[in-house]
Amino acid sequence: MIAKISGGKETAGLIRYLFDTNKAKDHTDPHLVASWDGFAPDPGRAEDPNAARRLLVADLDLHVKQARRLGRAPERHTWHCSIRAAESDRHLSDEEWAAIARRVVEATGIAPAGDPDGCRWVAVRHAPDHIHIAATKVRADLHAARHWNDYLTADRELAAIEKEYGLFRVARGDRTAAKRTTRAEQEKARRTGQRLPARERLRATVRTAVAAASTMEEFVHLLSHIDGVLVEIVHFPSGDVRGYKVAAEDTTTADNRPVWYSGSELAPDLSFPKIRERLENTEPQAGAQPGRRRPNTWHQATASAERIPRHLDRTDDEASQAHLAAFGEALDALPLLAPQALRPQLREAATAFERATRSRIQAEHQHARALRGAVRAMLRDPVPRDGAALAMFLDAAILVVIAAARWHQLRHHDQQVAAAQQTLLHLQAAYDQAAAAPLAALAQRRPPQQAADRHILHLHQVVPDHVEQITEDPAFGALTTALAEAEAAGHNPEQLLQQAVDQRTLEDARSPARTLAWRIERLSARPAPTARALAAQARSATQRSAAPLPTTATAAPVVPQAPRGRRR
């Protein structure tokens, strides 16, 4: 159930609207279901509706007029709360709606339980799926109603009602969501032929600029050079930057002035201080050193993303929140790098996940420096043409979003869970499209069956519980190619498989073979270990196995190791 609360100056106008059946199309059978005393006149059932309406207005306004003579009546003395059930809910009876109305006026302070001096109110039902509560905000003792935070208290009461009545459970927020566009903004966008209102377009634009910038100076520069966007930097008297405002060139007021939005009006995390805090915690990426290959920035970003689920499994919520915010920036950047055909899905994914990047938990952004730096470096490199790098990143991103949904769910962040689930749909669609060509190219180079059988033995050693699932996966041919080419480059296939599994378990993967193929591809891009390095690893393993176990009473206890292939 959803409540909407507003105030007004005229009781007669509110009651006239609630019982109108001409202008309001959904007012099919307006009638009272409850009132402050159970005896209020009902214009919907009276022989003379107009007379009953006048009488009802007079009854509701009684204490308002008395308080007005004493100079106590508030100017906006009406309280209007509409409560709507979900489309999937059963139709509640008048008696059930009456009970719900009483609970809401009690919870909000309009008419507290057991208080004989509560405000006068009525509940009007004029459609099967919703009611309206109309009240005057002057109590019988001629004091103003105490209804602070009425929206929150009503929302909490409706959450309890949903549970008790077996109704659809609405995903409720924690007041960290970006401000919704107003009806006026939506109407203006429709009149000017824009798909989205200016506030939403500017929010996406600013988020993209944050994702692409490494410093505040670069952020301001990028924002100032985006077509169709006006930028104004606000300074303190000392000359230091205080904040910024943005406006869309195609959206103006009646007197042709820009409609400005500050960063905090776009979203809580887009204020100037919060953007500065994030950018100051961006790790600079080292370039190629003389005599060494330039690092693959896509692989670095993918590796950073793959570590996020592990961070989310820990107990440091502030660090986890920082990684989710940084991952949101990575999704904001992807449409700048992806082929044209993938951009709509990726933009939708970034827009949906924006809600999952914020909660009441304060992010400690220094924990996500590596991911943020890798994303900036990725933006400055040419986009690989084969599409494999993008598919790798999207494969890792899907697992991050699944882990994010689970993390938010454990903390009862309902809106964030819904946002992550919506993001997952768009990312999976983009991944299926991005991965098709590079996976087909890998499968075409599939090694002989003898080599594939050898790699199946490696799978039995590393992931015995997943072997059947992997070998029956359509992407198994691509995995055997990745293993065969890694082996030809001097890598040990079994060791690579173990490293790939150690990065993240496969329980969340829709296609374990595809996930392993991308991880093997990335790991095998590193130089193969030299003979000297292999010999050193062998000596180290021999020394560890030959070392005597501690026998004294103060020796450290032996911690049992998880079975191979089952590590978490």
Side-chain angles (χ1 to χ4, degrees):
M1 285 186 161
I2 296 176
K4 292 184 179 180
I5 297 176
S6 59
K9 300 179 179 180
E10 187 185 0
T11 308
L14 175 57
I15 296 301
R16 186 167 53 250
Y17 162 75
L18 294 181
F19 285 92
D20 174 54
T21 56
N22 296 321
K23 295 182 180 178
K25 302 300 182 183
D26 61 346
H27 294 194
T28 55
D29 180 24
H31 60 281
L32 291 187
V33 294
S35 66
W36 73 95
D37 63 356
F39 299 103
D42 183 359
R45 295 291 185 264
E47 293 184 6
D48 187 347
N50 292 330
R53 189 168 60 242
R54 288 192 296 270
L55 185 58
L56 177 60
V57 171
D59 287 349
L60 288 170
D61 271 345
L62 175 63
H63 300 318
V64 175
K65 291 180 178 178
Q66 292 172 341
R68 189 169 290 152
R69 295 191 193 102
L70 301 175
R72 294 182 182 177
E75 182 182 4
R76 298 178 65 84
H77 65 267
T78 66
W79 186 84
H80 177 204
C81 174
S82 64
I83 305 173
R84 185 177 297 273
E87 291 183 4
S88 58
D89 286 338
R90 63 182 175 85
H91 285 175
L92 301 175
S93 67
D94 280 359
E95 292 73 19
E96 288 174 313
W97 276 120
I100 290 170
R102 291 189 187 96
R103 290 178 63 168
V104 170
V105 294
E106 289 175 2
T108 55
I110 293 297
D115 184 355
D117 291 331
C119 299
R120 295 191 167 194
W121 61 274
V122 293
V124 181
R125 182 182 189 181
H126 50 218
D129 63 345
H130 70 279
I131 62 170
H132 293 259
I133 303 173
T136 47
K137 298 190 295 186
V138 178
R139 295 163 44 84
D141 58 12
L142 304 187
H143 288 91
R146 294 180 286 273
H147 61 101
W148 297 283
N149 288 327
D150 50 7
Y151 174 78
L152 293 178
T153 52
D155 199 50
R156 280 197 293 267
E157 191 64 28
L158 291 179
I161 289 170
E162 289 167 354
K163 186 176 180 180
E164 294 174 25
Y165 283 63
L167 305 176
F168 175 77
R169 307 283 289 276
V170 174
R172 288 179 160 81
D174 53 7
R175 305 186 76 180
T176 61
K179 185 177 180 181
R180 293 181 180 179
T181 54
T182 65
R183 184 171 181 177
E185 290 172 334
Q186 295 170 357
E187 291 295 334
K188 180 172 286 189
R190 193 175 295 113
R191 289 196 305 270
T192 56
Q194 295 294 334
R195 189 176 67 88
L196 294 173
R199 186 193 299 270
E200 293 185 24
R201 287 183 283 134
L202 291 169
R203 183 185 301 138
T205 299
V206 173
R207 287 183 65 85
T208 303
V210 173
S214 298
T215 64
M216 286 305 300
E217 292 75 16
E218 188 177 7
F219 165 71
V220 172
H221 176 78
L222 289 173
L223 207 55
S224 302
H225 287 78
I226 296 176
D227 291 339
V229 176
L230 303 174
V231 181
E232 182 178 311
I233 305 301
V234 183
H235 295 84
F236 286 110
S238 63
D240 295 334
V241 176
R242 177 182 179 182
Y244 70 98
K245 297 190 296 185
V246 290
E249 287 184 347
D250 57 16
T251 304
T252 57
T253 61
D255 53 357
N256 208 32
R257 291 185 298 172
V259 180
W260 293 101
Y261 297 91
S262 66
S264 59
E265 288 177 318
L266 298 177
D269 58 342
L270 293 183
S271 67
F272 193 83
K274 292 192 175 182
I275 291 176
R276 180 169 54 197
E277 180 187 0
R278 287 153 65 184
L279 294 182
E280 287 174 351
N281 286 287
T282 300
E283 185 173 291
Q285 297 294 297
Q289 298 180 2
R292 294 189 179 183
R293 291 190 303 176
R294 179 179 177 83
N296 188 314
T297 56
W298 279 84
H299 288 182
Q300 289 177 328
T302 302
S304 296
E306 282 192 328
R307 289 192 286 270
I308 294 177
R310 192 171 298 172
H311 289 296
L312 298 181
D313 286 341
R314 297 171 183 167
T315 58
D316 189 344
D317 282 0
E318 290 77 11
S320 298
Q321 184 65 61
H323 281 94
L324 291 178
F327 178 72
E329 294 175 25
L331 293 185
D332 291 329
L334 277 186
L336 302 175
L337 303 167
Q340 190 70 36
L342 296 178
R343 290 178 185 175
Q345 288 286 6
L346 293 177
R347 287 194 189 99
E348 292 292 339
T351 300
F353 195 76
E354 183 255 354
R355 181 66 190 96
T357 61
R358 290 188 303 274
S359 71
R360 282 289 178 184
I361 298 169
Q362 184 68 37
E364 293 182 356
H365 292 292
Q366 69 271 17
H367 292 284
R369 291 170 61 92
L371 174 59
R372 193 170 281 111
V375 171
R376 270 56 172 191
M378 189 171 65
L379 283 163
R380 286 157 177 74
D381 269 3
V383 180
R385 293 182 179 179
D386 61 358
L390 176 60
M392 284 184 202
F393 186 87
L394 290 176
D395 182 69
I398 287 171
L399 296 183
V400 173
V401 174
I402 292 173
R406 186 183 302 116
W407 186 83
H408 281 302
Q409 191 169 35
L410 290 173
R411 288 149 185 82
H412 307 289
H413 301 162
D414 295 341
Q415 287 188 352
Q416 290 87 334
V417 172
Q421 292 169 343
Q422 188 65 33
T423 304
L424 193 59
L425 298 177
H426 296 295
L427 280 183
Q428 287 174 339
Y431 171 77
D432 289 340
Q433 190 174 351
L439 281 174
L442 278 175
Q444 287 178 353
R445 305 196 300 271
R446 183 170 182 166
Q449 188 60 43
Q450 183 179 0
D453 291 340
R454 191 170 68 256
H455 296 316
I456 292 175
L457 292 177
H458 296 146
L459 290 169
H460 276 286
Q461 291 295 320
V462 178
V463 282
D465 294 341
H466 294 280
V467 173
E468 184 176 353
Q469 183 184 7
I470 292 172
T471 54
E472 293 178 357
D473 194 313
F476 178 63
L479 174 59
T480 57
T481 301
L483 288 168
E485 292 181 351
E487 187 176 30
H491 293 277
N492 182 313
E494 186 174 335
Q495 288 182 357
L496 279 185
L497 275 172
Q498 189 63 63
Q499 291 178 43
V501 172
D502 287 344
Q503 288 179 353
R504 178 69 179 166
T505 56
L506 302 174
E507 279 77 3
D508 292 338
R510 285 192 305 163
S511 169
R514 287 192 301 193
T515 297
L516 285 175
W518 297 133
R519 292 178 184 174
I520 296 298
E521 281 276 286
R522 196 179 73 251
L523 292 170
S524 64
R526 304 171 183 173
T530 62
R532 180 179 296 180
L534 291 172
Q537 291 175 8
R539 286 196 302 272
S540 177
T542 302
Q543 291 170 359
R544 285 197 303 270
S545 61
L549 292 174
T551 56
T552 64
T554 57
V558 178
V559 180
Q561 299 294 315
R564 300 182 74 183
R566 301 278 297 190
R567 299 184 184 180
R568 292 184 178 271

